[in-house]
Structure formats: structure tokens, C-alpha cells
Amino acid sequence: MTYASDIAPKTLQHEVQRRRTFAIISHPDAGKTTLTEKFLLYTGAVDLAGSVRARKHQRHAASDWMALEQERGISITSTVLQLDYKGFRLNLLDTPGHQDFSEDTYRTLMAVDSAIMVLDSAKGIEPQTKKLFEVCRLRHIPILTFINKLDHPGRDPLDLLDEIERVLNIGAAPLNWPIGTGGDFQGVYDLRSQAVLRFQRTDHGQSRAPVQVGDINDPELVRLLGDVAYGQLRDEVDLLAGAGATFDREQFLAGNVTPVFFGSALNNFGVEPFLEALLDLAPAPGPRESRQGTVQPTDGAFSGFVFKLQANMDPRHRDQMAFLRVCSGRFEKDMLVQHPRLGRSIRMSRPHRLFARERETVDEAFPGDVVGLSNPGLLQIGDTLCTGESVNFAAIPRFPPERFALLHNQDVSRYKQFGKGLEQLAAEGVVQVFYSADGFRREPILAAVGDLQFDVVESRLTSEYGVKATIERLPYTCARWVEAEPVVLERVQWPTGTLVAHDQQDALVVAFASDWALQYCVRSNPAIKFRELA
């Protein structure tokens, strides 16, 4: 068998250069999942695009496979979709938009090389968009911007560009420009090729939109667009030529400029040109920093890290899948790799190529690819796998919990299923699990970033483990892990209403009912170390 170190350098370089690994981020309802579906349509991965708010006779969005996602029409868990298009391999990571699932989104952003920021043309920069943008900025992730819903009444495109620059402090360089807006939206003008792209609507936007390509100086265009729309287009194009921000690829890769595109994902207007631009502009997999130094994607030795766990993706298997981002070398089925955290070797005997919840066995993968590994409990989020010299990539941080609840098992006869389900959901990072230190109550205490995570636990315990459980909200707002000498902890007087508990690693954690109670406790106990994270 050929191993990663034996691959020809030119072959490895070719495979790296043709890969694009990216996430799509947005505020809820900006059209993120709709755009994802249209990428599937245009790359040939599906014949008809699904709809998030599907009618009874329509398909659900392929990327929203979980029952609760289909019920509520929102993305709850990050999804991996691997697509082939025009000689490129695209690894698309669809992320949850809701702030309650921002921890899952953050972990996913650790695994990408670029991101697409989707904005609603009527709402512009929204709170979760800004938060996710800042995460990308911290990691120096290049961002392409797609301003969506031009087929609905929205704000002036120039005003939207100004808001991007003013609120996000990043240059906004339009690479196409809308022709009309709302009901008069007809297409886009490509500023690079100087071509007019006019689109035709299709039935519910389920198939590719036919496009007519023309020249802005064609007299026929005046008749097709109308005098007002044509005159406005010429005026705005002239304005952009004189005063608009110019696109600089190096500044884009450095995270200082975002190329901006306009369109309507629902009606497929502008989707295909945007997809073509993604292939051209988004970077191929690049170097990764590790504790041992910089790892280049073209290094002969294989390396990768686990950024996500997901149980029960396929009811036929009922297993847990570990999502591995390949960082260097070639990954191969049945290869023996080092697991530095465990200090042992493990064999990659059951790797999968992922497409939402669907899977197929994969024989090899290259930097940028995401491989699904059946996980019997050996892998945790943040683990590194490698061949050759040991490699440890940067740890994936957790968010401090802000919501707390008791989880009640309503059927004691299914205690085993209850325990297994809770253990797997905690391993995925859906919630953290604590137990009261007083020993009187053994109901698990759930800690999460947002309330919707509790709904996910309740729903998945029922649908995946056959367990009926209920959630009882608790009045705590923040938690701290505490460290001190045993004699100090024995004497401490915790504020009234404070919860003292242990996490699953038996570390001591204290939850407070208010920030005031936390600060009072910190000031009163200088000998105790308080940490936001375990």
C-alpha cells in the first residue's frame, strides 16, 4: 500500500490547489441555507433545490437533515457537503446562524480556509453576522460577501457597501452590480468582465435560472431594461469606476477587503457567477500553525484534527462520527496514524466522505477535505492525528455557559439509553453536564450558551434514543471553574443561591445567579482561582 509520505509532490500540490474549503455564515433568515442549496443545484449535487420552508410537496433542504431543523426551518448543527465542480473539489461547511449555536459555528470556522458572509439586502449587518465576522477576523479568514434578496424591497446598494466598511471596518469592493431591485430586479452587471447578465425566473427557483449575456452598450439593452433602469445602471457603474473601492487579492487574503456580490439565492439570480468567482478568488488550503511549528499542506506526512463529533447521523448505523479536517499529506483508508493525546497508534479503517447525513466509504483524502471517522470513543474534539513526527494543532476553545437547567428522565426503565444519549450529546459539545456537589440530587445539570441547546437535547433524546425527558430551567447566569487548596474550599462561604457542582472530569464548578454575586465572591476569596472555562 502507498502511504502519505510516498505521494509524488506534484500530485499532492495539484490536489491541494484544486480544493476550496469554506463556511457560509450569516444572521438567521438572511438566506444562508438557501444559498447552500443553490450551490448543490449548480454543482449538480441535486436535481431540484430544496426549500427551508418547504411546502408539503417540496423537498427539505439537504443540509438541514435533523428532524428539529426540518420542523423549525433553521440550521442547528454544522453540516459538511463535498461537491465536485469544474475540476475543483468544494468542501462546504454549512453553519448554524442562531447565536445559541455559535460554539458549533466557531469550531467549524477552525476548519475552513475562507468564508461566505450572506447579508439580507433589507437588513444589512445584523448582530450575529457581526459576531461571526469578528471570529473570522481573529482567525484571518478571507471573506466573500453575498448580498441576498435583491428580488425583495431593500436598501440602496451603495448604502449597504458603506455599512460594511463602517460597521465591520473592512474594505468593500463590489465585483458585480444589481440591475434594478425588488420586483424590478433583472440581473447583475459583472464589473470585471463588463458583461450584463440577465436572468429568468424558474418555478420556485428549483432549477438553474437561464441567463442572457450582453454588452452594456448594446442599444437593445435600453429596450429590455427600460430607460429608467438603464440610466440608473449607467450612472452607478460610472460612479463606481470613479469612486468605488478596487479589489486587491492580497488585501482580500489578508482579511482587509471583501469582494461583494449581489443576487437572489431564492430565484438563482447571480448564484452561478458567484460560484464561479468563489473558485477563482477563495484560497486553496494553506499552512497551519502547530505547537511544533508551521505545517504546510504539501508536507509529505499526513496530519489533521477533529473539529466536530456527531452521533446518529444515519438511523441505520447509530454510531458517532468524528469530523476530521485534513491539513497535510494524503489520508488513506486503513492507514496507521498516531494519536498524540492517547500516546498510541490507531487504524483508519472506516473513513467516509460526507454529504450532510449521507456517507460513502472514501479511499483517500487531501488537505482541505473533511473525512468522517466512525468513533468508538477514541476521538475528542480538538484531537490531532498524524504520521511521522508528532503534531499538535491549536486547541479548540469552549464558550463559557450562560444558561442552566435540570434534565429529568421521565422513564426510569430507559436509564441506560438516557445515560448513553446524554454522554454522546455532551461529547459533541451540545451541552456541558454537571452534577450537584451536595450528592442529594443526581439529575444532570445542563450548561449551555443558549436556551435552544436545551431544546436540541430534549428533541434528540426522544428521536434518537427513545427517551422522554423534560427540562427545568435554573436561575443561574454564569459559571466559573474554581481551584484552591482543599482547606480553603472547605472554609469558603458561597453566596446564597449559588450552585456548587462537578463537571464530567470531576472538576469543581460554581454557578452564580448574577454577575454581582460572582464579582462579590471573587473579591471575597482572593485565594481561589476563578476560570471561565474548564
Side-chain angles (χ1 to χ4, degrees):
M1 175 174 287
T2 302
Y3 287 94
S5 58
D6 299 326
I7 186 172
K10 286 186 177 180
T11 302
L12 181 56
Q13 178 71 23
H14 170 72
E15 293 296 341
V16 170
Q17 288 303 314
R18 74 183 190 93
R19 275 159 170 78
R20 301 291 183 269
T21 302
F22 60 96
I24 304 184
I25 61 173
S26 79
H27 195 85
D29 294 327
K32 171 180 57 62
T33 301
T34 303
L35 181 62
T36 299
E37 285 290 309
K38 300 314 171 74
F39 278 178
L40 304 187
L41 174 67
Y42 276 89
T43 57
V46 297
D47 296 324
L48 294 175
S51 172
V52 178
R53 295 180 178 83
R55 297 179 176 88
K56 289 184 179 179
H57 64 279
Q58 288 181 318
R59 302 170 55 255
H60 286 291
S63 56
D64 287 341
W65 55 268
M66 196 179 291
L68 192 61
E69 292 179 311
Q70 296 176 354
E71 175 188 325
R72 298 199 181 187
I74 60 173
S75 296
I76 287 172
T77 185
S78 297
T79 303
V80 177
L81 301 161
Q82 193 173 79
L83 315 167
D84 290 311
Y85 183 63
K86 294 190 173 182
F88 288 85
R89 172 147 291 180
L90 308 181
N91 294 289
L92 189 164
L93 282 66
D94 181 35
T95 64
H98 199 286
Q99 64 180 2
D100 285 8
F101 308 115
S102 53
E103 190 168 6
D104 187 33
T105 298
Y106 188 95
R107 289 192 291 261
T108 300
L109 290 174
M110 298 281 287
V112 302
D113 303 302
S114 60
I116 294 171
M117 179 171 65
V118 181
L119 304 181
D120 185 320
S121 66
K123 298 176 181 176
I125 305 295
E126 298 179 84
Q128 186 66 359
T129 311
K130 185 176 180 181
K131 184 175 182 180
L132 294 173
F133 172 85
E134 293 300 336
V135 173
C136 292
R137 168 168 279 165
L138 286 172
R139 298 206 60 251
H140 307 289
I141 296 174
I143 293 177
L144 299 92
T145 299
F146 185 80
I147 297 182
N148 192 26
K149 302 186 181 181
L150 266 293
D151 55 331
H152 289 73
R155 291 163 54 184
D156 181 87
L158 289 170
D159 178 49
L160 290 167
L161 292 180
D162 177 69
E163 182 180 44
I164 292 172
E165 296 192 334
R166 177 170 39 83
V167 175
L168 301 182
N169 193 28
I170 188 173
L175 295 190
N176 69 18
W177 199 252
I179 303 172
T181 57
D184 296 326
F185 182 51
Q186 302 181 54
V188 296
Y189 176 68
D190 190 311
L191 292 164
R192 293 191 295 174
S193 66
Q194 298 184 337
V196 173
L197 309 178
R198 295 183 66 249
F199 300 94
Q200 297 177 25
R201 296 175 187 267
T202 61
D203 185 26
H204 300 302
Q206 289 185 314
S207 57
R208 297 165 65 107
V211 57
Q212 295 176 335
V213 181
D215 187 278
I216 195 170
N217 297 311
D218 187 347
E220 181 68 8
L221 193 61
V222 181
R223 185 187 66 82
L224 292 172
L225 299 183
D227 291 338
V228 174
Y230 180 78
Q232 182 178 354
L233 174 63
R234 291 303 302 249
D235 289 344
E236 291 176 339
V237 168
D238 291 342
L239 177 63
L240 290 170
T246 57
F247 176 72
D248 182 292
R249 180 169 175 77
E250 293 304 315
Q251 289 297 307
F252 159 64
L253 294 177
N256 299 324
V257 170
T258 177
V260 180
F261 301 81
F262 295 86
S264 166
L266 187 65
N267 288 313
N268 303 333
F269 285 20
V271 173
E272 188 171 22
F274 182 56
L275 180 57
E276 298 283 347
L278 175 71
L279 302 180
D280 180 41
L281 299 177
R288 293 258 165 178
E289 293 302 320
S290 75
R291 295 176 196 166
Q292 292 76 25
T294 302
V295 176
Q296 296 290 343
T298 51
D299 288 347
F302 157 78
S303 67
F305 66 92
V306 176
F307 66 92
K308 179 179 173 63
L309 301 179
Q310 185 77 51
N312 307 319
M313 293 178 65
D314 188 336
R316 295 170 297 179
H317 296 281
R318 290 296 182 189
D319 58 1
Q320 187 184 74
M321 188 73 72
F323 291 62
L324 175 85
R325 153 74 194 233
V326 181
C327 296
S328 68
R330 176 168 63 177
F331 172 95
E332 291 182 274
K333 182 177 181 292
D334 291 324
M335 71 189 303
L336 200 64
V337 302
Q338 297 299 315
H339 190 319
R341 180 178 60 83
L342 296 181
R344 55 171 287 190
S345 299
I346 59 176
R347 189 169 296 280
M348 301 287 93
S349 57
R350 297 173 61 193
H352 296 94
R353 175 185 178 185
L354 299 171
F355 187 85
R357 74 187 305 170
E358 299 175 12
R359 62 175 81 172
E360 62 181 30
T361 301
V362 63
D363 292 324
E364 64 177 3
F366 293 92
D369 288 341
V370 175
V371 178
L373 303 174
S374 296
N375 181 28
L378 297 177
L379 300 174
Q380 297 179 5
I381 291 172
D383 278 350
T384 294
L385 300 178
C386 58
T387 59
E389 295 184 8
S390 182
V391 173
N392 296 95
F393 291 106
I396 298 179
R398 299 211 65 165
F399 285 19
E402 299 176 4
R403 300 288 187 272
F404 304 84
L406 278 173
L407 181 66
H408 300 284
N409 180 13
Q410 299 299 308
D411 186 354
V412 293
S413 67
R414 299 190 65 80
Y415 180 80
K416 182 177 180 180
Q417 292 87 341
F418 176 80
K420 180 181 178 182
L422 187 59
E423 179 183 3
Q424 290 193 328
L425 292 173
E428 289 179 23
V430 176
V431 290
Q432 296 185 63
V433 180
F434 305 150
Y435 290 93
S436 176
D438 62 21
F440 293 109
R441 301 189 66 173
R442 291 304 297 164
E443 291 100 338
I445 300 163
L446 307 185
V449 175
D451 287 321
L452 282 178
Q453 290 173 270
F454 298 144
D455 295 345
V456 171
V457 170
E458 195 172 358
S459 173
R460 290 185 61 188
L461 283 175
T462 300
S463 63
E464 298 174 22
Y465 301 93
V467 173
K468 175 63 177 175
T470 57
I471 298 289
E472 178 188 346
R473 299 297 198 276
L474 296 174
Y476 308 112
T477 61
C478 54
R480 292 294 185 270
W481 277 256
V482 299
E483 291 181 2
E485 294 295 328
V487 65
V488 174
L489 293 175
E490 288 175 5
R491 294 199 304 263
V492 66
Q493 294 293 317
W494 302 108
T496 303
T498 297
L499 169 70
V500 182
H502 291 98
D503 66 11
Q504 289 182 291
Q505 286 69 48
D506 205 35
L508 190 64
V509 58
V510 181
F512 299 89
S514 66
D515 187 63
W516 180 91
L518 165 62
Q519 298 305 324
Y520 173 79
C521 194
V522 171
R523 291 193 303 269
S524 302
N525 297 280
I528 297 178
K529 181 186 293 185
F530 293 83
R531 294 181 289 108
E532 278 194 334
L533 297 171

mmCIF file of all heavy atoms in Angstrom, residues 34 37-38 41-42 47-51 55 58 200-209 264-269 271:
data_model
loop_
_atom_site.group_PDB
_atom_site.id
_atom_site.type_symbol
_atom_site.label_atom_id
_atom_site.label_comp_id
_atom_site.label_asym_id
_atom_site.label_seq_id
_atom_site.Cartn_x
_atom_site.Cartn_y
_atom_site.Cartn_z
ATOM 1 N N THR A 34 -30.493 28.602 1.985
ATOM 2 C CA THR A 34 -30.989 28.669 0.610
ATOM 3 C C THR A 34 -29.825 28.761 -0.373
ATOM 4 O O THR A 34 -29.799 28.071 -1.401
ATOM 5 C CB THR A 34 -31.922 29.879 0.424
ATOM 6 O OG1 THR A 34 -32.994 29.792 1.357
ATOM 7 C CG2 THR A 34 -32.484 29.915 -0.985
ATOM 8 N N GLU A 37 -28.216 25.394 -0.729
ATOM 9 C CA GLU A 37 -28.985 24.523 -1.615
ATOM 10 C C GLU A 37 -28.746 24.854 -3.083
ATOM 11 O O GLU A 37 -28.676 23.959 -3.934
ATOM 12 C CB GLU A 37 -30.485 24.660 -1.294
ATOM 13 C CG GLU A 37 -30.906 23.962 -0.024
ATOM 14 C CD GLU A 37 -30.859 22.443 -0.158
ATOM 15 O OE1 GLU A 37 -31.437 21.906 -1.123
ATOM 16 O OE2 GLU A 37 -30.226 21.804 0.694
ATOM 17 N N LYS A 38 -28.604 26.130 -3.398
ATOM 18 C CA LYS A 38 -28.392 26.508 -4.789
ATOM 19 C C LYS A 38 -26.993 26.138 -5.269
ATOM 20 O O LYS A 38 -26.787 25.849 -6.452
ATOM 21 C CB LYS A 38 -28.667 28.003 -4.974
ATOM 22 C CG LYS A 38 -30.110 28.394 -4.605
ATOM 23 C CD LYS A 38 -31.132 27.412 -5.202
ATOM 24 C CE LYS A 38 -32.534 27.636 -4.682
ATOM 25 N NZ LYS A 38 -33.173 28.804 -5.235
ATOM 26 N N LEU A 41 -27.416 22.702 -6.331
ATOM 27 C CA LEU A 41 -28.099 22.667 -7.620
ATOM 28 C C LEU A 41 -27.128 22.940 -8.762
ATOM 29 O O LEU A 41 -27.081 22.190 -9.752
ATOM 30 C CB LEU A 41 -29.234 23.697 -7.624
ATOM 31 C CG LEU A 41 -29.964 23.907 -8.953
ATOM 32 C CD1 LEU A 41 -30.746 22.659 -9.330
ATOM 33 C CD2 LEU A 41 -30.898 25.124 -8.864
ATOM 34 N N TYR A 42 -26.333 23.989 -8.635
ATOM 35 C CA TYR A 42 -25.457 24.393 -9.737
ATOM 36 C C TYR A 42 -24.251 23.479 -9.907
ATOM 37 O O TYR A 42 -23.667 23.419 -10.990
ATOM 38 C CB TYR A 42 -25.013 25.841 -9.557
ATOM 39 C CG TYR A 42 -26.033 26.824 -10.084
ATOM 40 C CD1 TYR A 42 -27.059 27.295 -9.274
ATOM 41 C CD2 TYR A 42 -25.999 27.255 -11.403
ATOM 42 C CE1 TYR A 42 -28.011 28.174 -9.753
ATOM 43 C CE2 TYR A 42 -26.945 28.137 -11.898
ATOM 44 C CZ TYR A 42 -27.949 28.592 -11.073
ATOM 45 O OH TYR A 42 -28.908 29.456 -11.558
ATOM 46 N N ASP A 47 -30.887 17.528 -8.207
ATOM 47 C CA ASP A 47 -31.593 17.886 -9.434
ATOM 48 C C ASP A 47 -32.521 19.074 -9.218
ATOM 49 O O ASP A 47 -32.706 19.905 -10.100
ATOM 50 C CB ASP A 47 -32.402 16.696 -9.947
ATOM 51 C CG ASP A 47 -31.504 15.540 -10.355
ATOM 52 O OD1 ASP A 47 -30.409 15.802 -10.888
ATOM 53 O OD2 ASP A 47 -31.888 14.382 -10.125
ATOM 54 N N LEU A 48 -33.131 19.127 -8.016
ATOM 55 C CA LEU A 48 -34.019 20.225 -7.667
ATOM 56 C C LEU A 48 -33.604 20.770 -6.316
ATOM 57 O O LEU A 48 -33.342 20.001 -5.387
ATOM 58 C CB LEU A 48 -35.486 19.770 -7.597
ATOM 59 C CG LEU A 48 -36.141 19.324 -8.899
ATOM 60 C CD1 LEU A 48 -37.541 18.789 -8.609
ATOM 61 C CD2 LEU A 48 -36.228 20.477 -9.888
ATOM 62 N N ALA A 49 -33.529 22.085 -6.212
ATOM 63 C CA ALA A 49 -33.138 22.686 -4.935
ATOM 64 C C ALA A 49 -34.286 22.582 -3.947
ATOM 65 O O ALA A 49 -35.442 22.824 -4.281
ATOM 66 C CB ALA A 49 -32.759 24.149 -5.132
ATOM 67 N N GLY A 50 -33.968 22.222 -2.694
ATOM 68 C CA GLY A 50 -34.973 22.150 -1.645
ATOM 69 C C GLY A 50 -35.300 23.530 -1.119
ATOM 70 O O GLY A 50 -34.730 24.531 -1.524
ATOM 71 N N SER A 51 -36.212 23.570 -0.186
ATOM 72 C CA SER A 51 -36.604 24.836 0.417
ATOM 73 C C SER A 51 -36.584 24.692 1.911
ATOM 74 O O SER A 51 -36.987 23.677 2.456
ATOM 75 C CB SER A 51 -38.013 25.226 -0.049
ATOM 76 O OG SER A 51 -38.486 26.344 0.664
ATOM 77 N N ARG A 55 -42.940 23.494 1.219
ATOM 78 C CA ARG A 55 -44.333 23.087 1.103
ATOM 79 C C ARG A 55 -44.387 21.572 1.228
ATOM 80 O O ARG A 55 -43.385 20.877 1.108
ATOM 81 C CB ARG A 55 -44.898 23.541 -0.242
ATOM 82 C CG ARG A 55 -44.917 25.061 -0.407
ATOM 83 C CD ARG A 55 -45.465 25.424 -1.782
ATOM 84 N NE ARG A 55 -45.582 26.868 -1.930
ATOM 85 C CZ ARG A 55 -44.606 27.645 -2.366
ATOM 86 N NH1 ARG A 55 -43.443 27.123 -2.686
ATOM 87 N NH2 ARG A 55 -44.793 28.951 -2.481
ATOM 88 N N GLN A 58 -42.689 19.729 -1.489
ATOM 89 C CA GLN A 58 -41.313 20.075 -1.793
ATOM 90 C C GLN A 58 -40.351 19.320 -0.891
ATOM 91 O O GLN A 58 -40.732 18.785 0.150
ATOM 92 C CB GLN A 58 -41.080 21.581 -1.634
ATOM 93 C CG GLN A 58 -41.732 22.428 -2.727
ATOM 94 C CD GLN A 58 -41.441 23.891 -2.516
ATOM 95 O OE1 GLN A 58 -41.500 24.371 -1.388
ATOM 96 N NE2 GLN A 58 -41.155 24.609 -3.577
ATOM 97 N N GLN A 200 -33.674 34.728 -15.881
ATOM 98 C CA GLN A 200 -35.099 34.435 -15.998
ATOM 99 C C GLN A 200 -35.519 33.607 -14.795
ATOM 100 O O GLN A 200 -34.785 32.723 -14.341
ATOM 101 C CB GLN A 200 -35.395 33.672 -17.290
ATOM 102 C CG GLN A 200 -35.072 34.436 -18.559
ATOM 103 C CD GLN A 200 -35.327 33.606 -19.799
ATOM 104 O OE1 GLN A 200 -36.138 32.687 -19.788
ATOM 105 N NE2 GLN A 200 -34.625 33.921 -20.881
ATOM 106 N N ARG A 201 -36.688 33.870 -14.280
ATOM 107 C CA ARG A 201 -37.195 33.148 -13.114
ATOM 108 C C ARG A 201 -37.591 31.725 -13.517
ATOM 109 O O ARG A 201 -38.027 31.471 -14.631
ATOM 110 C CB ARG A 201 -38.401 33.874 -12.502
ATOM 111 C CG ARG A 201 -38.042 35.252 -11.948
ATOM 112 C CD ARG A 201 -39.272 35.996 -11.450
ATOM 113 N NE ARG A 201 -38.932 37.356 -11.076
ATOM 114 C CZ ARG A 201 -38.604 37.739 -9.847
ATOM 115 N NH1 ARG A 201 -38.598 36.841 -8.875
ATOM 116 N NH2 ARG A 201 -38.291 38.984 -9.575
ATOM 117 N N THR A 202 -37.437 30.802 -12.557
ATOM 118 C CA THR A 202 -37.862 29.420 -12.746
ATOM 119 C C THR A 202 -38.884 29.072 -11.661
ATOM 120 O O THR A 202 -39.084 29.831 -10.710
ATOM 121 C CB THR A 202 -36.676 28.459 -12.655
ATOM 122 O OG1 THR A 202 -36.088 28.559 -11.348
ATOM 123 C CG2 THR A 202 -35.627 28.808 -13.707
ATOM 124 N N ASP A 203 -39.520 27.927 -11.796
ATOM 125 C CA ASP A 203 -40.571 27.521 -10.862
ATOM 126 C C ASP A 203 -40.009 27.343 -9.455
ATOM 127 O O ASP A 203 -39.265 26.402 -9.187
ATOM 128 C CB ASP A 203 -41.203 26.206 -11.347
ATOM 129 C CG ASP A 203 -42.390 25.791 -10.482
ATOM 130 O OD1 ASP A 203 -43.026 26.680 -9.867
ATOM 131 O OD2 ASP A 203 -42.676 24.585 -10.425
ATOM 132 N N HIS A 204 -40.348 28.271 -8.551
ATOM 133 C CA HIS A 204 -39.905 28.251 -7.148
ATOM 134 C C HIS A 204 -38.378 28.233 -7.023
ATOM 135 O O HIS A 204 -37.845 27.852 -5.984
ATOM 136 C CB HIS A 204 -40.488 27.048 -6.399
ATOM 137 C CG HIS A 204 -41.986 27.020 -6.375
ATOM 138 N ND1 HIS A 204 -42.747 28.045 -5.861
ATOM 139 C CD2 HIS A 204 -42.861 26.076 -6.825
ATOM 140 C CE1 HIS A 204 -44.039 27.746 -5.981
ATOM 141 N NE2 HIS A 204 -44.128 26.564 -6.569
ATOM 142 N N GLY A 205 -37.666 28.632 -8.078
ATOM 143 C CA GLY A 205 -36.204 28.654 -8.024
ATOM 144 C C GLY A 205 -35.591 27.282 -7.861
ATOM 145 O O GLY A 205 -34.465 27.148 -7.385
ATOM 146 N N GLN A 206 -36.309 26.214 -8.292
ATOM 147 C CA GLN A 206 -35.814 24.854 -8.078
ATOM 148 C C GLN A 206 -34.832 24.405 -9.153
ATOM 149 O O GLN A 206 -34.159 23.391 -8.983
ATOM 150 C CB GLN A 206 -36.987 23.871 -8.015
ATOM 151 C CG GLN A 206 -37.819 24.001 -6.748
ATOM 152 C CD GLN A 206 -38.879 22.924 -6.681
ATOM 153 O OE1 GLN A 206 -39.582 22.654 -7.658
ATOM 154 N NE2 GLN A 206 -39.009 22.292 -5.536
ATOM 155 N N SER A 207 -34.761 25.092 -10.269
ATOM 156 C CA SER A 207 -33.842 24.712 -11.334
ATOM 157 C C SER A 207 -32.972 25.909 -11.710
ATOM 158 O O SER A 207 -33.246 27.046 -11.328
ATOM 159 C CB SER A 207 -34.605 24.197 -12.552
ATOM 160 O OG SER A 207 -35.527 25.180 -13.010
ATOM 161 N N ARG A 208 -31.921 25.655 -12.471
ATOM 162 C CA ARG A 208 -30.976 26.700 -12.851
ATOM 163 C C ARG A 208 -31.682 27.803 -13.635
ATOM 164 O O ARG A 208 -32.491 27.532 -14.519
ATOM 165 C CB ARG A 208 -29.858 26.104 -13.697
ATOM 166 C CG ARG A 208 -29.027 25.073 -12.978
ATOM 167 C CD ARG A 208 -28.189 24.266 -13.953
ATOM 168 N NE ARG A 208 -27.210 25.099 -14.615
ATOM 169 C CZ ARG A 208 -25.903 25.059 -14.358
ATOM 170 N NH1 ARG A 208 -25.440 24.244 -13.440
ATOM 171 N NH2 ARG A 208 -25.057 25.825 -15.007
ATOM 172 N N ALA A 209 -31.368 29.055 -13.295
ATOM 173 C CA ALA A 209 -32.002 30.192 -13.969
ATOM 174 C C ALA A 209 -31.318 30.443 -15.310
ATOM 175 O O ALA A 209 -30.101 30.643 -15.345
ATOM 176 C CB ALA A 209 -31.922 31.438 -13.098
ATOM 177 N N SER A 264 -30.048 37.008 -5.801
ATOM 178 C CA SER A 264 -31.195 36.425 -5.109
ATOM 179 C C SER A 264 -31.025 34.920 -5.122
ATOM 180 O O SER A 264 -31.185 34.281 -6.167
ATOM 181 C CB SER A 264 -32.511 36.805 -5.799
ATOM 182 O OG SER A 264 -33.571 35.983 -5.329
ATOM 183 N N ALA A 265 -30.664 34.343 -3.966
ATOM 184 C CA ALA A 265 -30.479 32.894 -3.891
ATOM 185 C C ALA A 265 -31.791 32.169 -4.162
ATOM 186 O O ALA A 265 -31.802 31.108 -4.788
ATOM 187 C CB ALA A 265 -29.932 32.510 -2.521
ATOM 188 N N LEU A 266 -32.908 32.749 -3.713
ATOM 189 C CA LEU A 266 -34.197 32.086 -3.890
ATOM 190 C C LEU A 266 -34.526 31.890 -5.363
ATOM 191 O O LEU A 266 -35.008 30.839 -5.780
ATOM 192 C CB LEU A 266 -35.302 32.897 -3.198
ATOM 193 C CG LEU A 266 -36.680 32.240 -3.144
ATOM 194 C CD1 LEU A 266 -36.632 30.977 -2.295
ATOM 195 C CD2 LEU A 266 -37.700 33.212 -2.579
ATOM 196 N N ASN A 267 -34.246 32.914 -6.172
ATOM 197 C CA ASN A 267 -34.564 32.843 -7.606
ATOM 198 C C ASN A 267 -33.356 32.492 -8.470
ATOM 199 O O ASN A 267 -33.448 32.520 -9.701
ATOM 200 C CB ASN A 267 -35.151 34.186 -8.068
ATOM 201 C CG ASN A 267 -36.556 34.407 -7.549
ATOM 202 O OD1 ASN A 267 -37.396 33.521 -7.639
ATOM 203 N ND2 ASN A 267 -36.800 35.575 -6.981
ATOM 204 N N ASN A 268 -32.221 32.193 -7.843
ATOM 205 C CA ASN A 268 -30.994 31.809 -8.545
ATOM 206 C C ASN A 268 -30.359 32.953 -9.332
ATOM 207 O O ASN A 268 -29.497 32.718 -10.176
ATOM 208 C CB ASN A 268 -31.250 30.623 -9.496
ATOM 209 C CG ASN A 268 -31.813 29.420 -8.771
ATOM 210 O OD1 ASN A 268 -31.566 29.242 -7.582
ATOM 211 N ND2 ASN A 268 -32.579 28.606 -9.464
ATOM 212 N N PHE A 269 -30.764 34.197 -9.084
ATOM 213 C CA PHE A 269 -30.166 35.332 -9.777
ATOM 214 C C PHE A 269 -28.793 35.611 -9.173
ATOM 215 O O PHE A 269 -28.671 35.923 -7.990
ATOM 216 C CB PHE A 269 -31.032 36.587 -9.633
ATOM 217 C CG PHE A 269 -32.274 36.573 -10.486
ATOM 218 C CD1 PHE A 269 -32.793 35.401 -10.993
ATOM 219 C CD2 PHE A 269 -32.931 37.757 -10.784
ATOM 220 C CE1 PHE A 269 -33.937 35.387 -11.766
ATOM 221 C CE2 PHE A 269 -34.083 37.766 -11.550
ATOM 222 C CZ PHE A 269 -34.584 36.576 -12.054
ATOM 223 N N VAL A 271 -26.343 33.528 -8.645
ATOM 224 C CA VAL A 271 -25.722 32.418 -7.915
ATOM 225 C C VAL A 271 -24.567 31.814 -8.715
ATOM 226 O O VAL A 271 -23.477 31.587 -8.186
ATOM 227 C CB VAL A 271 -26.762 31.338 -7.564
ATOM 228 C CG1 VAL A 271 -26.078 30.103 -6.962
ATOM 229 C CG2 VAL A 271 -27.781 31.890 -6.574
#
